[in-house]
Amino acid sequence: ARVRSRTPGGEEMASDFERQRATAEDRLGAIVRAPGDVAALARASLDGAVGSLRLDDAGAPVDPPSADDKTLLEHALCRVMFGLIEDASARATAVMSHVASGGGAKKAATDKKAGATNAANEPSMPRLLDLALTLSETGVVEPACVFNALEQLLETCTIADCEDVFTWVEARRGRLSADALWRRGKLVMLRTCNELQRRLSKTADTVLRGRVLLLLSSLYPLSERSALNLGGNYNAGNVTELDVRDAEGDDAQARAGTQASDANAEAEGVVVDRAFYETFWSLQKFFSNPPAALEPTGGWKTFARALGSVLDNFETHRLDKTSAGRAVTTVTTVTGGGDEHRGAAAANIEGTTAGTKYLTAAPLLHLQLRDPAFRRHFLVQCAVFLGFCTAPCLYKGVDAKGALDAKKRVMEAIRHTPPHGEEFAAAVALALRREEGWVLWKRDNCKDFEREPEAPRAPPPAAPVMRRRPRAGAAAPAV
């Protein structure tokens, strides 16, 4: 709430601020609703809108605006933005696709009945963000104004609307990363993206989470320390829960519903018992928090014994090129689905769809072991873990020679896992070699990658011209 001063001068100052703010708000709203280029409209409409603001032909202030004028324009811009959000909510439309009609929620309801539309027929919120970006670039408002507007907008939007807002951010990445703006707005952008990441689900919003991380990695330099896990912390919350039900009861229930599947499994010899089930999934505790699992006495021996047992199973029951087709048939038989389920299973095996976490039910393991995608996920986990184990002075209690031998077995198992095992193994090996470079970089206290440009070298001196001098006593050449 606005607090009025009791003095007459105070009343005049408050009224003057409100009058100028209302004028600026009306002009900003008119720019958003009018058709045409936002920059040209801002140059024509905001000249003289507040205080002594005067704009040149390029839209930049002739004289630097005062801090009060910048604050007033930013305040008016935010009020216009929240008015658009209210208008979109009243019309039950997406924020980034809503076309403003002006007048707030009541006016929106009236215009909806009358069928009124914006003359430009363009979404209003993207135009408002473009206006904020233009004003930040030209110096009419503070450079961080557009970042503050994005932060407030994302805080008020649903997840679906946040995705549309983020699409706008990706399209304007080049302008947002300009040095004049980025120096003042990078911390606001980092805070905004981190807050959005906290709101997003790790299972339902994986694509948007990945887009946020990709944007941050493109905006910030490689040596930016705020994005580094300098403490080497692990995600200890990623816990793999085992199936604690009775193994015999589970196997009986599975055989009752999947007789054909189990007949094929027995023929191939891949049916697993409870001991192997616990051995296989126990390896996840080493992957999720290696120091806590390896540092106790006998930790590495326990891991090596369990990994050896799993690799022995993989080497005994290698997959061929027809394994993917059999896995689709098995999954379809178990689920009782038709063509739709068969297509979804095939897509999952080919890698076009990926789950974030596999199920750990005991009856599923003998089916999962015949799934090439499942084997690849597990073997890549082993390769990454063993790659860190073979790095010098990283984990305590690790047998370096044993880790190197185990890594060779894992890479060999990846090569024998279809489809395109050789190519996939080469890609994994390349990623592990690059990761070794990152480990050494962090160990050296994350030295900057950027270097000052070297001065251009002077061109080498021209070679002397060799002239022939006549020998003494030689006859003069004929003319």
Side-chain angles (χ1 to χ4, degrees):
R2 178 172 52 84
V3 179
R4 291 180 177 270
S5 175
R6 293 182 178 274
T7 62
E11 283 293 331
E12 288 184 10
M13 290 176 62
S15 299
D16 183 62
F17 174 82
E18 290 181 354
R19 183 170 58 255
Q20 292 190 43
R21 191 259 306 159
T23 301
E25 188 176 342
D26 291 341
R27 296 197 183 190
L28 292 172
I31 295 171
V32 171
R33 292 188 296 271
D37 180 56
V38 170
L41 293 172
R43 184 171 59 251
S45 182
L46 295 182
D47 189 17
V50 295
S52 58
L53 180 63
R54 295 293 181 269
L55 304 179
D56 58 16
D57 294 339
V62 176
D63 297 319
S66 64
D68 292 339
D69 291 343
K70 291 183 177 181
T71 302
L72 189 146
L73 281 173
E74 292 180 19
H75 182 60
L77 194 68
C78 290
R79 287 178 62 89
V80 174
M81 182 181 68
F82 287 118
L84 293 176
I85 297 173
E86 182 184 4
D87 196 3
S89 177
R91 291 179 173 232
T93 57
V95 171
M96 293 298 287
S97 59
H98 169 66
V99 179
S101 59
K106 294 182 180 180
K107 183 69 165 54
T110 305
D111 290 343
K112 185 177 181 180
K113 295 179 180 179
T117 58
N118 185 358
N121 200 26
E122 296 181 16
S124 301
M125 189 60 74
R127 289 179 61 82
L128 177 70
L129 295 176
D130 287 335
L131 176 59
L133 179 56
T134 300
L135 297 180
S136 298
E137 290 174 330
T138 56
V140 177
V141 296
E142 292 293 338
C145 175
V146 62
F147 298 99
N148 293 328
L150 284 171
E151 181 180 25
Q152 297 179 43
L153 177 60
L154 289 172
E155 286 177 351
T156 58
C157 286
T158 63
I159 298 299
D161 287 333
C162 286
E163 188 170 358
D164 296 335
V165 175
F166 204 78
T167 301
W168 181 92
V169 174
E170 292 172 327
R172 308 301 191 277
R173 181 181 59 186
R175 296 171 64 184
L176 291 171
S177 60
D179 189 58
L181 271 63
W182 189 243
R183 284 200 311 266
R184 300 290 300 274
K186 61 180 182 180
L187 295 181
V188 180
M189 191 66 184
L190 179 62
R191 182 174 65 240
T192 302
C193 291
N194 288 339
E195 186 60 33
L196 178 59
Q197 288 276 62
R198 294 188 189 96
R199 292 176 57 192
L200 297 177
S201 170
K202 293 183 179 180
T203 56
D205 305 313
T206 53
V207 175
L208 184 54
R209 288 176 64 89
R211 289 170 60 188
V212 173
L213 293 177
L214 286 175
L215 178 72
L216 290 175
S217 64
S218 65
L219 289 176
Y220 288 88
L222 288 175
S223 55
E224 174 64 35
R225 297 175 67 87
S226 62
L228 301 178
N229 183 13
L230 296 177
N233 299 320
Y234 294 90
N235 182 16
N238 183 17
V239 179
T240 301
E241 298 182 357
L242 299 184
D243 192 349
V244 297
R245 293 176 296 176
D246 180 66
E248 295 180 0
D250 288 341
D251 293 340
Q253 183 179 1
R255 285 193 296 270
T258 59
Q259 294 179 359
S261 171
D262 288 342
N264 294 333
E266 291 173 0
E268 297 180 8
V270 296
V271 175
V272 298
D273 55 9
R274 184 70 184 185
F276 182 83
Y277 166 80
E278 294 178 352
T279 299
F280 180 86
W281 288 113
S282 67
L283 291 171
Q284 294 299 319
K285 67 180 180 182
F286 293 93
F287 302 150
S288 62
N289 194 350
L294 290 175
E295 288 182 1
T297 304
W300 168 255
K301 293 182 179 180
T302 302
F303 170 79
R305 192 183 308 111
L307 179 61
S309 175
V310 174
L311 291 179
D312 289 341
N313 185 290
F314 284 6
E315 292 170 356
T316 303
H317 310 290
R318 288 181 174 175
L319 302 178
D320 52 23
K321 295 182 180 180
T322 61
S323 299
R326 291 201 304 270
V328 171
T329 304
T330 303
V331 172
T332 306
T333 304
V334 172
T335 56
D339 295 338
E340 183 176 346
H341 290 84
R342 186 179 296 108
N348 184 46
I349 290 174
E350 289 297 326
T352 54
T353 60
T356 57
K357 198 172 179 67
Y358 279 101
L359 299 176
T360 58
L364 293 177
L365 184 56
H366 74 279
L367 301 176
Q368 292 170 329
L369 292 177
R370 300 206 307 274
D371 182 359
F374 180 83
R375 284 202 183 190
R376 269 188 177 169
H377 278 78
F378 172 77
L379 291 172
V380 169
Q381 280 184 308
C382 296
V384 172
F385 175 79
L386 292 171
F388 278 90
C389 287
T390 53
C393 304
L394 190 61
Y395 295 144
K396 297 179 180 179
V398 175
D399 180 7
K401 185 178 181 304
L404 188 60
D405 294 340
K407 184 179 178 181
K408 292 180 181 178
R409 288 189 66 186
V410 168
M411 296 303 298
E412 188 66 21
I414 294 177
R415 293 188 187 93
H416 287 88
T417 303
H420 312 295
E422 291 288 344
E423 294 86 347
F424 188 81
V428 172
L430 177 61
L432 293 179
R433 287 196 300 270
R434 291 179 175 177
E435 192 64 27
E436 291 176 1
W438 287 112
V439 171
L440 296 176
W441 174 67
K442 284 188 176 182
R443 187 172 302 167
D444 294 338
N445 203 21
C446 307
K447 295 180 180 179
D448 292 343
F449 285 95
E450 297 80 7
R451 296 189 303 175
E452 293 294 332
E454 297 180 357
R457 297 181 179 179
V465 178
M466 304 297 294
R467 295 184 179 180
R468 222 173 193 185
R469 292 187 297 178
R471 290 180 298 172
V479 179

